[in-house]
Structures are given as C-alpha cells and as structure tokens.
Coordinates of all heavy atoms in Angstrom, one line a residue:
M1 N 47.3 69.3 69.4 CA 46.0 68.6 69.3 C 45.2 69.3 68.2 O 45.1 70.6 68.2 CB 45.3 68.6 70.6 CG 44.0 67.9 70.6 SD 43.2 67.9 72.2 CE 42.8 66.2 72.4
K2 N 44.5 68.6 67.4 CA 43.7 69.1 66.3 C 42.4 69.8 66.9 O 41.8 69.2 67.8 CB 43.3 68.0 65.4 CG 42.7 68.4 64.1 CD 42.5 67.2 63.2 CE 41.8 67.6 62.0 NZ 41.5 66.4 61.1
K3 N 42.0 71.0 66.4 CA 40.8 71.6 66.8 C 39.6 70.9 66.3 O 39.6 70.4 65.1 CB 40.8 73.1 66.3 CG 41.3 74.1 67.2 CD 41.0 75.5 66.7 CE 41.1 76.4 67.9 NZ 40.7 77.7 67.5
R4 N 38.6 70.8 67.1 CA 37.4 70.1 66.7 C 36.4 71.1 66.0 O 36.3 72.2 66.4 CB 36.7 69.5 67.9 CG 37.5 68.4 68.5 CD 36.8 67.7 69.6 NE 37.6 66.7 70.1 CZ 37.2 65.6 70.7 NH1 35.9 65.4 70.8 NH2 38.0 64.7 71.2
R5 N 35.7 70.6 65.1 CA 34.6 71.4 64.4 C 33.4 71.4 65.3 O 33.1 70.5 66.1 CB 34.2 70.8 63.1 CG 35.4 70.8 62.1 CD 34.9 70.4 60.7 NE 34.7 68.9 60.7 CZ 34.3 68.3 59.7 NH1 34.0 68.9 58.6 NH2 34.1 67.0 59.7
K6 N 32.7 72.5 65.2 CA 31.4 72.7 65.9 C 30.3 72.2 65.1 O 30.4 72.3 63.8 CB 31.3 74.2 66.3 CG 32.4 74.6 67.2 CD 32.3 76.1 67.6 CE 33.5 76.4 68.4 NZ 33.6 77.8 68.7
F7 N 29.2 71.8 65.7 CA 28.1 71.2 65.0 C 27.0 72.2 64.8 O 26.7 73.1 65.7 CB 27.5 70.0 65.7 CG 28.5 68.9 65.8 CD1 29.2 68.6 66.9 CD2 28.7 68.1 64.7 CE1 30.0 67.5 67.0 CE2 29.5 67.0 64.7 CZ 30.2 66.7 65.9
I8 N 26.3 72.1 63.6 CA 25.1 72.9 63.4 C 24.0 71.8 63.1 O 24.2 71.0 62.1 CB 25.2 73.8 62.2 CG1 26.3 74.9 62.5 CG2 23.9 74.5 61.8 CD1 26.6 75.7 61.3
F9 N 23.0 71.8 63.8 CA 21.9 70.8 63.7 C 20.8 71.4 62.9 O 20.3 72.5 63.3 CB 21.4 70.3 65.0 CG 22.5 69.6 65.8 CD1 23.2 70.3 66.8 CD2 22.8 68.3 65.6 CE1 24.2 69.7 67.5 CE2 23.8 67.6 66.3 CZ 24.5 68.3 67.3
V10 N 20.3 70.7 61.9 CA 19.2 71.2 61.0 C 18.1 70.2 61.0 O 18.3 69.0 60.7 CB 19.7 71.5 59.6 CG1 18.5 72.0 58.8 CG2 20.8 72.5 59.6
C11 N 16.9 70.6 61.4 CA 15.8 69.7 61.5 C 15.3 69.3 60.1 O 15.2 70.2 59.2 CB 14.6 70.4 62.2 SG 13.2 69.3 62.4
Q12 N 15.0 68.0 59.9 CA 14.5 67.5 58.6 C 13.2 66.8 58.8 O 12.9 65.8 58.1 CB 15.6 66.6 58.0 CG 16.8 67.3 57.6 CD 16.6 68.3 56.5 OE1 16.2 67.9 55.4 NE2 17.0 69.5 56.7
G13 N 12.5 67.1 59.9 CA 11.2 66.5 60.2 C 10.2 66.9 59.1 O 10.4 67.8 58.3
S14 N 9.0 66.3 59.2 CA 8.0 66.5 58.1 C 7.5 67.9 58.0 O 7.3 68.4 56.9 CB 6.9 65.5 58.3 OG 6.2 65.7 59.5
D15 N 7.2 68.5 59.1 CA 6.8 69.9 59.1 C 7.8 70.9 58.6 O 7.5 71.8 57.8 CB 6.3 70.4 60.5 CG 4.9 69.8 60.8 OD1 4.2 69.4 59.9 OD2 4.6 69.8 62.0
C16 N 9.1 70.7 59.0 CA 10.1 71.5 58.5 C 10.4 71.2 57.0 O 10.6 72.2 56.2 CB 11.4 71.3 59.2 SG 11.4 72.0 60.9
K17 N 10.2 70.0 56.5 CA 10.4 69.7 55.1 C 9.4 70.4 54.3 O 9.7 70.9 53.2 CB 10.3 68.2 54.9 CG 11.5 67.4 55.1 CD 11.4 66.0 54.6 CE 12.6 65.2 54.9 NZ 12.5 63.8 54.6
S18 N 8.1 70.5 54.8 CA 7.1 71.2 54.0 C 7.4 72.7 54.0 O 6.8 73.4 53.2 CB 5.7 70.9 54.6 OG 5.6 71.5 55.9
N19 N 8.2 73.2 54.9 CA 8.6 74.6 54.9 C 10.0 74.8 54.3 O 10.7 75.8 54.7 CB 8.6 75.2 56.3 CG 7.2 75.3 56.9 OD1 6.3 75.6 56.1 ND2 7.0 75.1 58.2
K20 N 10.4 73.9 53.4 CA 11.6 74.1 52.6 C 12.9 73.9 53.5 O 13.9 74.6 53.3 CB 11.7 75.4 51.9 CG 10.5 75.5 50.9 CD 10.5 76.8 50.2 CE 9.2 76.9 49.3 NZ 9.1 78.2 48.7
A21 N 12.9 72.9 54.3 CA 14.1 72.6 55.2 C 15.2 72.1 54.3 O 16.4 72.4 54.6 CB 13.8 71.6 56.2
K22 N 15.0 71.4 53.2 CA 16.0 70.9 52.4 C 16.8 72.1 51.8 O 18.0 72.1 51.8 CB 15.5 70.0 51.3 CG 16.5 69.4 50.4 CD 15.9 68.4 49.4 CE 17.0 67.8 48.6 NZ 16.4 66.9 47.6
R23 N 16.1 73.1 51.3 CA 16.7 74.3 50.7 C 17.5 75.0 51.8 O 18.6 75.5 51.5 CB 15.7 75.2 50.1 CG 16.2 76.4 49.5 CD 17.0 76.2 48.3 NE 17.5 77.5 47.8 CZ 18.5 77.6 47.0 NH1 19.1 76.5 46.6 NH2 19.0 78.8 46.7
F24 N 17.0 75.1 53.0 CA 17.6 75.8 54.1 C 18.9 75.1 54.4 O 20.0 75.7 54.6 CB 16.7 75.8 55.3 CG 17.2 76.5 56.6 CD1 17.7 77.8 56.5 CD2 17.1 75.9 57.8 CE1 18.2 78.4 57.6 CE2 17.6 76.5 58.9 CZ 18.1 77.8 58.8
A25 N 18.9 73.7 54.5 CA 20.2 73.0 54.7 C 21.2 73.2 53.6 O 22.4 73.3 53.9 CB 19.8 71.5 54.9
E26 N 20.7 73.3 52.4 CA 21.6 73.5 51.3 C 22.3 74.9 51.4 O 23.5 75.1 51.1 CB 20.9 73.4 49.9 CG 20.5 71.9 49.6 CD 19.6 71.8 48.4 OE1 19.2 72.9 47.9 OE2 19.3 70.7 48.0
D27 N 21.5 75.9 51.8 CA 22.0 77.2 51.9 C 23.0 77.3 53.1 O 24.1 78.0 52.9 CB 20.9 78.2 52.2 CG 20.0 78.4 51.0 OD1 20.4 78.1 49.9 OD2 18.8 78.9 51.2
I28 N 22.8 76.6 54.2 CA 23.7 76.5 55.3 C 25.0 75.9 54.8 O 26.1 76.4 55.1 CB 23.1 75.8 56.5 CG1 22.0 76.6 57.1 CG2 24.2 75.6 57.5 CD1 21.2 75.9 58.1
G29 N 24.9 74.8 54.1 CA 26.1 74.1 53.5 C 26.9 75.0 52.7 O 28.1 75.0 52.7
A30 N 26.3 75.8 51.8 CA 27.0 76.8 51.0 C 27.7 77.8 51.8 O 28.9 78.2 51.5 CB 26.0 77.5 50.0
I31 N 27.1 78.3 52.9 CA 27.8 79.2 53.8 C 29.0 78.6 54.4 O 30.0 79.2 54.6 CB 26.8 79.8 54.8 CG1 25.7 80.6 54.2 CG2 27.5 80.5 55.9 CD1 24.5 81.0 55.1
L32 N 28.8 77.4 54.9 CA 29.9 76.7 55.6 C 31.1 76.3 54.7 O 32.2 76.1 55.2 CB 29.4 75.4 56.3 CG 28.3 75.6 57.4 CD1 27.9 74.3 57.9 CD2 28.8 76.6 58.4
H33 N 30.9 76.1 53.4 CA 31.9 75.8 52.5 C 32.7 76.9 51.9 O 33.5 76.8 51.0 CB 31.4 74.8 51.4 CG 31.1 73.5 52.0 ND1 29.8 73.1 52.2 CD2 31.9 72.4 52.4 CE1 29.8 71.8 52.7 NE2 31.0 71.4 52.8
S34 N 32.3 78.1 52.3 CA 33.0 79.3 51.7 C 33.4 80.2 52.8 O 32.9 80.2 54.0 CB 32.0 80.0 50.8 OG 30.9 80.6 51.6
G35 N 34.4 81.1 52.5 CA 34.8 82.1 53.4 C 35.4 81.6 54.7 O 36.0 80.6 54.8
P36 N 35.2 82.4 55.7 CA 35.9 82.2 57.0 C 35.4 81.0 57.8 O 36.0 80.5 58.7 CB 35.7 83.5 57.8 CG 34.4 84.0 57.3 CD 34.4 83.6 55.8
H37 N 34.3 80.4 57.4 CA 33.7 79.3 58.1 C 34.1 77.9 57.6 O 33.8 76.9 58.2 CB 32.1 79.4 58.0 CG 31.6 80.7 58.4 ND1 31.8 81.2 59.7 CD2 30.8 81.6 57.8 CE1 31.2 82.4 59.8 NE2 30.6 82.6 58.6
R38 N 34.9 77.9 56.6 CA 35.3 76.7 55.9 C 36.1 75.8 56.9 O 37.1 76.2 57.5 CB 36.1 77.0 54.7 CG 36.4 75.8 53.9 CD 37.2 76.1 52.7 NE 37.3 74.9 51.9 CZ 37.0 74.7 50.6 NH1 36.6 75.7 50.0 NH2 37.2 73.6 50.1
G39 N 35.6 74.6 57.1 CA 36.3 73.6 58.0 C 36.1 73.8 59.5 O 36.6 73.0 60.2
K40 N 35.3 74.8 59.9 CA 35.1 75.0 61.3 C 33.8 74.4 61.8 O 33.7 74.3 63.0 CB 35.1 76.5 61.6 CG 36.5 77.2 61.3 CD 36.4 78.6 61.7 CE 37.8 79.3 61.4 NZ 37.7 80.7 61.6
F41 N 32.9 74.1 60.9 CA 31.6 73.6 61.3 C 31.2 72.4 60.6 O 31.7 72.2 59.5 CB 30.5 74.7 61.1 CG 30.7 75.9 61.9 CD1 31.4 77.0 61.4 CD2 30.2 76.0 63.2 CE1 31.6 78.2 62.1 CE2 30.4 77.2 63.9 CZ 31.1 78.3 63.4
K42 N 30.4 71.6 61.2 CA 29.8 70.4 60.5 C 28.3 70.4 60.6 O 27.7 70.7 61.6 CB 30.3 69.1 61.2 CG 29.7 67.8 60.7 CD 30.6 66.7 60.9 CE 30.0 65.4 60.3 NZ 30.1 65.3 58.9
L43 N 27.7 70.2 59.4 CA 26.2 70.3 59.3 C 25.7 68.9 59.6 O 26.1 67.9 59.0 CB 25.8 70.7 57.9 CG 24.4 70.8 57.6 CD1 23.8 72.0 58.5 CD2 24.2 71.1 56.2
V44 N 24.8 68.8 60.6 CA 24.1 67.5 60.9 C 22.6 67.6 60.7 O 22.0 68.5 61.3 CB 24.4 67.1 62.4 CG1 23.8 65.8 62.8 CG2 25.9 67.1 62.6
K45 N 22.1 66.8 59.9 CA 20.7 66.7 59.6 C 20.0 65.8 60.6 O 20.4 64.7 60.8 CB 20.4 66.3 58.2 CG 20.9 67.2 57.2 CD 20.7 66.7 55.8 CE 21.3 67.6 54.8 NZ 21.2 67.1 53.4
T46 N 19.0 66.3 61.3 CA 18.3 65.6 62.4 C 16.9 65.3 62.1 O 16.3 65.8 61.1 CB 18.4 66.3 63.7 OG1 17.6 67.5 63.6 CG2 19.8 66.7 64.1
K47 N 16.3 64.5 62.9 CA 14.8 64.3 62.8 C 14.2 65.4 63.5 O 14.8 66.3 63.9 CB 14.5 62.9 63.3 CG 15.1 61.8 62.5 CD 14.5 60.5 62.7 CE 15.2 59.5 61.8 NZ 14.4 58.4 61.5
C48 N 12.9 65.3 63.8 CA 12.1 66.4 64.4 C 12.7 66.9 65.7 O 13.1 66.1 66.6 CB 10.7 65.9 64.6 SG 9.6 67.2 65.2
M49 N 12.8 68.2 65.8 CA 13.3 68.9 67.0 C 12.2 69.5 67.9 O 12.4 70.2 68.8 CB 14.3 70.0 66.6 CG 15.5 69.5 66.0 SD 16.6 71.0 65.8 CE 18.0 70.2 65.1
D50 N 10.9 69.2 67.5 CA 9.7 69.7 68.3 C 9.6 71.2 68.2 O 9.2 71.8 69.2 CB 9.7 69.2 69.7 CG 9.4 67.7 69.8 OD1 8.8 67.2 68.8 OD2 9.8 67.0 70.7
C51 N 10.0 71.8 67.2 CA 9.8 73.3 67.0 C 9.0 73.4 65.7 O 9.4 74.3 64.8 CB 11.2 74.0 66.9 SG 12.1 73.9 68.4
C52 N 8.0 72.6 65.5 CA 7.3 72.5 64.2 C 6.7 73.8 63.7 O 6.7 74.1 62.5 CB 6.3 71.4 64.3 SG 7.0 69.8 64.7
K53 N 6.2 74.6 64.6 CA 5.5 75.9 64.1 C 6.6 76.9 63.7 O 6.2 77.9 63.1 CB 4.6 76.4 65.2 CG 3.6 75.4 65.6 CD 2.3 76.1 66.0 CE 1.3 75.2 66.5 NZ 0.5 74.5 65.5
S54 N 7.8 76.7 64.1 CA 8.9 77.7 63.8 C 9.8 77.2 62.6 O 10.8 77.9 62.3 CB 9.8 77.9 65.0 OG 9.0 78.3 66.1
G55 N 9.4 76.2 61.9 CA 10.3 75.5 60.9 C 10.5 76.3 59.7 O 9.7 77.2 59.4
P56 N 11.6 76.1 59.0 CA 12.6 75.2 59.3 C 13.6 75.8 60.4 O 13.7 77.0 60.5 CB 13.4 75.0 58.0 CG 13.1 76.2 57.2 CD 11.8 76.7 57.7
V57 N 14.1 74.9 61.2 CA 15.0 75.4 62.3 C 16.3 74.8 62.3 O 16.6 73.7 61.7 CB 14.3 75.1 63.7 CG1 13.0 75.8 63.9 CG2 14.1 73.6 63.9
A58 N 17.3 75.5 62.9 CA 18.7 75.0 63.1 C 19.1 75.4 64.5 O 18.6 76.4 65.0 CB 19.6 75.6 62.0
V59 N 20.1 74.7 65.0 CA 20.7 75.0 66.3 C 22.2 75.2 66.1 O 22.9 74.3 65.6 CB 20.4 73.8 67.3 CG1 21.1 74.1 68.6 CG2 18.9 73.7 67.5
V60 N 22.6 76.3 66.5 CA 24.1 76.7 66.5 C 24.4 77.0 67.9 O 23.9 77.9 68.5 CB 24.4 77.9 65.6 CG1 25.8 78.2 65.6 CG2 23.9 77.6 64.2
A61 N 25.4 76.2 68.5 CA 25.7 76.4 69.9 C 24.4 76.3 70.8 O 23.8 75.3 70.7 CB 26.5 77.7 70.2
D62 N 24.1 77.3 71.4 CA 22.8 77.3 72.2 C 21.7 78.2 71.6 O 20.7 78.4 72.2 CB 23.1 77.9 73.6 CG 24.0 77.0 74.4 OD1 24.0 75.8 74.2 OD2 24.7 77.5 75.3
Q63 N 21.9 78.6 70.4 CA 20.9 79.4 69.7 C 20.0 78.6 68.7 O 20.5 77.9 67.9 CB 21.6 80.5 69.0 CG 22.4 81.5 69.8 CD 23.0 82.6 69.0 OE1 22.5 83.0 68.0 NE2 24.2 83.1 69.5
L64 N 18.7 78.9 68.8 CA 17.8 78.3 67.9 C 17.5 79.3 66.8 O 17.1 80.4 67.1 CB 16.5 77.9 68.7 CG 15.4 77.3 67.8 CD1 15.8 75.9 67.3 CD2 14.1 77.2 68.6
I65 N 17.7 78.9 65.6 CA 17.5 79.7 64.4 C 16.1 79.3 63.9 O 16.0 78.2 63.4 CB 18.6 79.5 63.3 CG1 20.0 79.6 63.9 CG2 18.3 80.5 62.2 CD1 20.3 80.9 64.6
K66 N 15.1 80.2 63.9 CA 13.8 79.9 63.5 C 13.5 80.4 62.1 O 14.1 81.4 61.6 CB 12.8 80.5 64.5 CG 12.9 80.0 65.9 CD 11.9 80.7 66.8 CE 12.0 80.2 68.2 NZ 11.1 80.9 69.1
K67 N 12.5 79.8 61.5 CA 11.9 80.3 60.2 C 12.9 80.4 59.1 O 12.8 81.2 58.2 CB 11.2 81.6 60.3 CG 10.1 81.7 61.4 CD 8.9 81.1 60.8 CE 7.7 81.2 61.9 NZ 6.6 80.5 61.5
G68 N 14.0 79.6 59.1 CA 15.0 79.6 58.1 C 15.7 80.9 57.9 O 16.0 81.3 56.8
D69 N 16.0 81.6 59.0 CA 16.6 83.0 59.0 C 18.1 82.9 58.8 O 18.8 82.7 59.8 CB 16.2 83.7 60.3 CG 16.6 85.1 60.3 OD1 17.1 85.6 59.2 OD2 16.5 85.8 61.3
L70 N 18.5 83.0 57.6 CA 20.0 82.9 57.3 C 20.8 84.0 57.9 O 21.9 83.9 58.2 CB 20.2 82.8 55.8 CG 19.8 81.5 55.1 CD1 19.9 81.5 53.6 CD2 20.5 80.3 55.7
K71 N 20.2 85.2 57.9 CA 20.9 86.4 58.5 C 21.2 86.1 60.0 O 22.4 86.4 60.5 CB 20.1 87.7 58.4 CG 20.1 88.1 56.9 CD 19.4 89.4 56.8 CE 19.3 89.9 55.4 NZ 18.6 91.1 55.2
H72 N 20.3 85.6 60.7 CA 20.5 85.3 62.2 C 21.5 84.2 62.3 O 22.3 84.2 63.2 CB 19.1 84.9 62.8 CG 19.2 84.7 64.3 ND1 18.4 83.8 64.9 CD2 20.0 85.3 65.2 CE1 18.6 83.9 66.2 NE2 19.6 84.7 66.4
L73 N 21.4 83.2 61.4 CA 22.4 82.1 61.4 C 23.8 82.6 61.2 O 24.8 82.2 61.9 CB 22.1 81.1 60.3 CG 23.1 79.9 60.2 CD1 22.6 78.7 61.0 CD2 23.4 79.6 58.8
E74 N 24.0 83.5 60.2 CA 25.3 84.1 60.0 C 25.9 84.9 61.2 O 27.1 84.8 61.5 CB 25.3 84.9 58.7 CG 25.2 84.1 57.5 CD 25.2 84.9 56.2 OE1 25.2 86.2 56.3 OE2 25.0 84.3 55.1
Q75 N 25.0 85.6 61.9 CA 25.4 86.3 63.1 C 25.8 85.3 64.2 O 26.8 85.6 64.9 CB 24.2 87.2 63.6 CG 23.9 88.3 62.7 CD 22.6 89.1 63.1 OE1 21.9 88.6 64.0 NE2 22.4 90.2 62.5
A76 N 25.1 84.2 64.3 CA 25.4 83.2 65.3 C 26.8 82.5 65.0 O 27.6 82.3 65.8 CB 24.4 82.1 65.4
L77 N 27.1 82.3 63.7 CA 28.3 81.7 63.3 C 29.5 82.7 63.5 O 30.6 82.3 63.9 CB 28.3 81.4 61.8 CG 27.4 80.2 61.4 CD1 27.4 80.1 59.9 CD2 27.8 79.0 62.1
A78 N 29.2 84.0 63.4 CA 30.3 85.0 63.6 C 30.7 85.1 65.0 O 31.9 85.4 65.3 CB 29.8 86.4 63.1
T79 N 29.8 84.8 66.0 CA 30.1 84.8 67.4 C 30.8 83.6 67.9 O 31.3 83.5 69.0 CB 28.9 85.1 68.2 OG1 27.9 84.0 68.0 CG2 28.2 86.4 67.9
E80 N 30.8 82.5 67.1 CA 31.4 81.2 67.5 C 32.9 81.2 67.2 O 33.4 81.6 66.3 CB 30.7 80.1 66.8 CG 29.4 79.7 67.4 CD 29.5 79.3 68.9 OE1 30.2 78.4 69.2 OE2 28.8 79.9 69.7

C-alpha cells in the first residue's frame, strides 16, 4: 500500500496576507520540494484559521506555527 503524504495547512486569510502569508507559503513550498521532505508532505492553503494576531500561521500535525517561524516549522517537520 502506498504511503500517504501528511498535510501542512497555511492560512491565507486577510490578516495573514497583510503579514506576508504568501511569502511564508512560498518558503514552505521550497522546503517541501527539497531534501528529505520531498514527496512526504502536501501544502494546503486555507481561509482564515482564527489566529489573526499570530499570523502568518501554519499547522503541522498538531502544532501551530506562529508568526511565520520557519525554524519552528522545520523542527516540526523533522519530528514527523
């Protein structure tokens, strides 16, 4: 049976967009298409996640990545 990819949800709501969510999603995409993460994750752009004051945000497994913190995101991906 084929292994399923895990999802990473990235908020694209208006408050996150004003905090450079598009750039954050592009950076996540670059991380996912290189190195050991290639083919293991799928990036899903969502509408508002109600974490507006912490934007841009992403969700990996059960972890909320706040303020576009790519280092925290990479640590979360390493544990998956």
Side-chain angles (χ1 to χ4, degrees):
M1 182 180 228
K2 190 175 177 181
K3 268 194 159 180
R4 294 186 182 208
R5 294 188 286 177
K6 297 177 183 172
F7 293 104
I8 298 174
F9 298 98
V10 180
C11 182
Q12 296 293 302
S14 60
D15 285 340
C16 285
K17 274 187 183 177
S18 66
N19 288 326
K20 302 179 183 174
K22 185 175 180 181
R23 177 70 182 160
F24 183 49
E26 290 171 355
D27 291 343
I28 293 172
I31 291 169
L32 296 181
H33 288 105
S34 65
H37 307 302
R38 187 178 186 129
K40 294 181 181 178
F41 296 94
K42 176 153 179 77
L43 183 66
V44 179
K45 296 176 184 174
T46 67
K47 296 198 179 205
C48 186
M49 292 183 178
D50 290 334
C51 298
C52 300
K53 300 217 187 276
S54 301
V57 297
V59 175
V60 178
D62 292 333
Q63 296 183 29
L64 179 67
I65 312 300
K66 298 178 181 179
K67 303 280 185 188
D69 187 6
L70 289 174
K71 288 183 183 180
H72 188 211
L73 178 97
E74 289 179 1
Q75 290 173 350
L77 292 177
T79 61
E80 285 298 306

